[in-house]
Amino acid sequence: MTPVLASIPVGLCWALVCSALLLAFCIASARIHWAGAAFGYLLFGGLVTFFWTLVVTWSPVLFWNWLLLFFVTIIAASMQWQAKRTLVFGLLATAAAYGITAVMFIPEYRERLALRAEYPQVSLVERLAYENRLPNIENTDHDEDSPAIFPTTYLSEIESKLVGEERNWGNNDFAQRHWSLPSLHRPALNDAHQGFVHEFISADGAGRMRVPRLPATRKSIEIPETVPIPIPKPSPKSEPTREQFARAKNNPPDLPIQKSELDQFHLQGMADFADPIGFGYVESLRNGKPPEKQILRVTGFQPHAFRKFPEPLTNSNKSVRWLIEKLELVSLLKHDTPRVYESKNLPRMDELSTAPTRPLDDFETAALARLRAGETLVVHQDHNDLRMLGPIVAINQCLECHSVQRGDLLGAFTYRLVRDPQLPALEGKAVSWLSR
């Protein structure tokens, strides 16, 4: 196919075909009595427009085309015009329909140009290049049918958490952004044609065959930027005396935190960090090509980051809280050996390039080995301190961008929490939980 033919939007071709059908029936109807012509054209033109709306999308250009040709049909039939004269006025009416639609589209076109400058298409190939050089990501001895390290039920639970994060925005807000971002950057066939004509015919409702999409307006795609969230220094209540800590026999001791509650704490943090509404729209053309020839672009992507500070961990009777002292991201992919990014803020992907790193400590090293074996959370309590290491795993929502498989271990969160209120000096017990 030549570049000229490839540059013609498919939607424009179909719109012109429908306009030609409407014009042909206008000329044919104009040769009978005006009442019959009006009825016949209304029926036929209405069916054409309704079919287009039902199968493709709502199209203002065809609506105006149908309406203006309806009046031409009545006038031509009433005044007994010749077919040539009807054709001339029909062509003028068709041109007017496309002109009216173009004028209506100008504000949307200008807004889209501004939004394109604010939300450019960004290549992910270079940003994610490290995934293609790591043996554990290529995973040559792990085919698509082999089971993931982590239980399928655990992966499904994470995916449900991300769906829950989407619902926190409201189904309408999430759906608007999800269906609007693809409308922002629409390359023509073979990227050979960009410009007002393509934008006009590709505009929502202007007659382009496509999956359902919404107009790319500022209201539909703009979401708040994530901001750094500092981790405040915990201030637990002062340590009670042994006398204050003593209780009557009929007064039960503080209930411990259940392993399931710790799991949910980590899963909720992982879902918030992933931030599904900030995924944007991904245009992926891998087609089995080598990394240097892949096309992987994203529009409206916000780097993964926490949007809110996690709620404190509490036991079932709310008598004890565990306050976050540190929450850090463990990198397993970007360095030769696992490293922990140090920050006074909750983890943010856009801070990693400047964040200092440290090696894993003894707890993290031992806990990471257990995560690699498939455990879903490793926890150790020592007196007033609580340490946890939780995995960040690849799920279905990750696969659109990342060259990984569902269930792959991508990283981890390392937690250090302090008890509130504090235990007396000799009351603490070291406890470790195995995976559930």
Side-chain angles (χ1 to χ4, degrees):
M1 182 179 292
T2 65
V4 174
L5 292 178
S7 69
I8 301 176
V10 177
L12 175 59
C13 296
W14 282 106
L16 292 175
V17 167
C18 288
S19 294
L21 288 174
L22 292 174
L23 180 58
F25 201 80
C26 168
I27 296 173
S29 301
R31 304 185 67 178
I32 60 178
H33 188 268
W34 71 269
F39 176 78
Y41 180 79
L42 274 175
L43 181 61
F44 177 80
L47 287 175
V48 169
T49 308
F50 176 75
F51 175 78
W52 179 275
T53 302
L54 185 65
V55 176
V56 186
T57 185
W58 162 246
S59 176
V61 67
L62 288 184
F63 171 78
W64 286 109
N65 199 182
W66 170 69
L67 184 63
L68 294 178
L69 286 178
F70 169 66
F71 290 111
V72 171
T73 301
I74 294 178
I75 295 172
S78 301
M79 302 183 66
Q80 297 296 309
W81 283 354
Q82 297 293 324
K84 185 176 180 179
R85 190 175 187 182
T86 304
L87 174 62
V88 171
F89 278 89
L91 290 173
L92 292 175
T94 300
Y98 281 79
I100 291 172
T101 308
V103 171
M104 293 170 58
F105 174 65
I106 287 175
E108 179 184 341
Y109 176 69
R110 289 176 176 171
E111 182 179 42
R112 185 173 297 177
L113 289 181
L115 289 173
R116 281 185 172 184
E118 296 179 36
Y119 295 90
Q121 284 185 312
V122 180
S123 173
L124 293 179
V125 174
E126 183 176 350
R127 180 183 297 184
L128 301 177
Y130 61 88
E131 294 179 347
N132 298 289
R133 62 178 176 82
L134 293 174
N136 63 319
I137 293 300
E138 292 173 0
N139 215 357
T140 54
D141 59 347
H142 174 71
D143 58 42
E144 294 182 358
D145 298 326
S146 59
I149 296 177
F150 297 94
T152 303
T153 53
Y154 180 71
L155 301 179
S156 299
E157 188 174 3
I158 302 174
E159 291 161 355
S160 298
K161 284 288 184 184
L162 259 67
V163 173
E165 283 296 305
E166 298 170 4
R167 291 173 179 165
N168 287 340
W169 286 90
N171 290 333
N172 189 46
D173 292 338
F174 187 84
Q176 279 191 352
R177 192 167 201 264
H178 180 72
W179 292 114
S180 297
L181 281 171
S183 304
L184 191 57
H185 295 276
R186 289 180 178 168
L189 297 179
N190 298 337
D191 289 329
H193 180 66
Q194 297 279 354
F196 181 81
V197 174
H198 170 66
E199 290 291 336
F200 157 64
I201 201 63
S202 298
D204 295 86
R208 183 187 183 195
M209 296 188 71
R210 61 189 183 275
V211 296
R213 291 175 181 171
L214 297 176
T217 63
R218 186 174 300 278
K219 181 180 178 181
S220 64
I221 69 175
E222 198 170 59
I223 58 174
E225 294 287 337
T226 59
V227 297
I229 302 177
I231 300 177
K233 184 177 181 180
S235 300
K237 296 177 182 178
S238 59
E239 180 177 300
T241 64
R242 293 183 61 82
E243 291 76 15
Q244 291 172 330
F245 189 78
R247 290 179 171 83
K249 291 183 178 180
N250 59 352
N251 188 12
D254 292 329
L255 298 176
I257 296 179
Q258 300 298 318
K259 174 63 166 53
S260 59
E261 295 172 342
L262 299 174
D263 283 330
Q264 291 303 312
F265 179 80
H266 171 64
L267 290 177
Q268 188 59 52
M270 186 165 34
D272 184 34
F273 176 76
D275 190 24
I277 199 171
F279 285 177
Y281 167 66
V282 180
E283 180 189 0
S284 176
L285 296 176
R286 298 182 186 272
N287 298 329
K289 297 180 179 179
E292 64 273 10
K293 294 186 178 181
Q294 291 178 0
I295 299 177
L296 186 61
R297 295 177 293 206
V298 64
T299 304
F301 172 74
Q302 289 189 354
H304 302 307
F306 282 86
R307 286 189 177 270
K308 57 183 179 294
F309 199 84
E311 293 292 329
L313 267 169
T314 63
N315 59 357
S316 57
N317 63 359
K318 309 296 182 183
S319 60
V320 175
R321 299 189 307 165
W322 289 93
L323 308 178
I324 295 177
E325 184 178 26
K326 286 187 178 181
L327 200 174
E328 297 171 319
L329 179 65
V330 180
S331 172
L332 304 180
L333 307 181
K334 287 193 173 184
H335 305 275
D336 294 334
T337 59
R339 303 286 294 182
V340 178
Y341 290 103
E342 295 182 304
S343 176
K344 296 181 179 180
N345 301 323
L346 292 178
R348 295 176 55 85
M349 293 299 292
D350 58 359
E351 291 183 349
L352 300 188
S353 60
T354 58
T357 64
R358 63 170 176 83
L360 275 62
D361 61 25
D362 291 342
F363 165 76
E364 292 161 344
T365 300
L368 179 59
R370 291 165 64 174
L371 293 188
R372 292 188 188 278
E375 295 193 23
T376 58
L377 188 67
V378 181
V379 184
H380 178 77
Q381 178 186 346
D382 186 5
H383 197 46
N384 289 311
D385 293 326
L386 183 67
R387 298 292 306 277
M388 298 194 303
L389 191 74
I392 300 175
V393 300
I395 54 176
N396 284 329
Q397 290 95 325
C398 306
L399 306 186
E400 192 170 22
C401 293
H402 294 273
S403 301
V404 295
Q405 297 184 48
R406 185 174 185 256
D408 285 346
L409 182 61
L410 303 181
F413 283 140
T414 178
Y415 304 82
R416 185 187 295 272
L417 303 96
V418 296
R419 191 183 192 276
D420 179 29
Q422 297 273 287
L423 286 171
L426 300 179
E427 293 291 337
K429 295 181 180 179
V431 180
S432 288
W433 283 277
L434 298 178
S435 61
R436 55 182 174 184

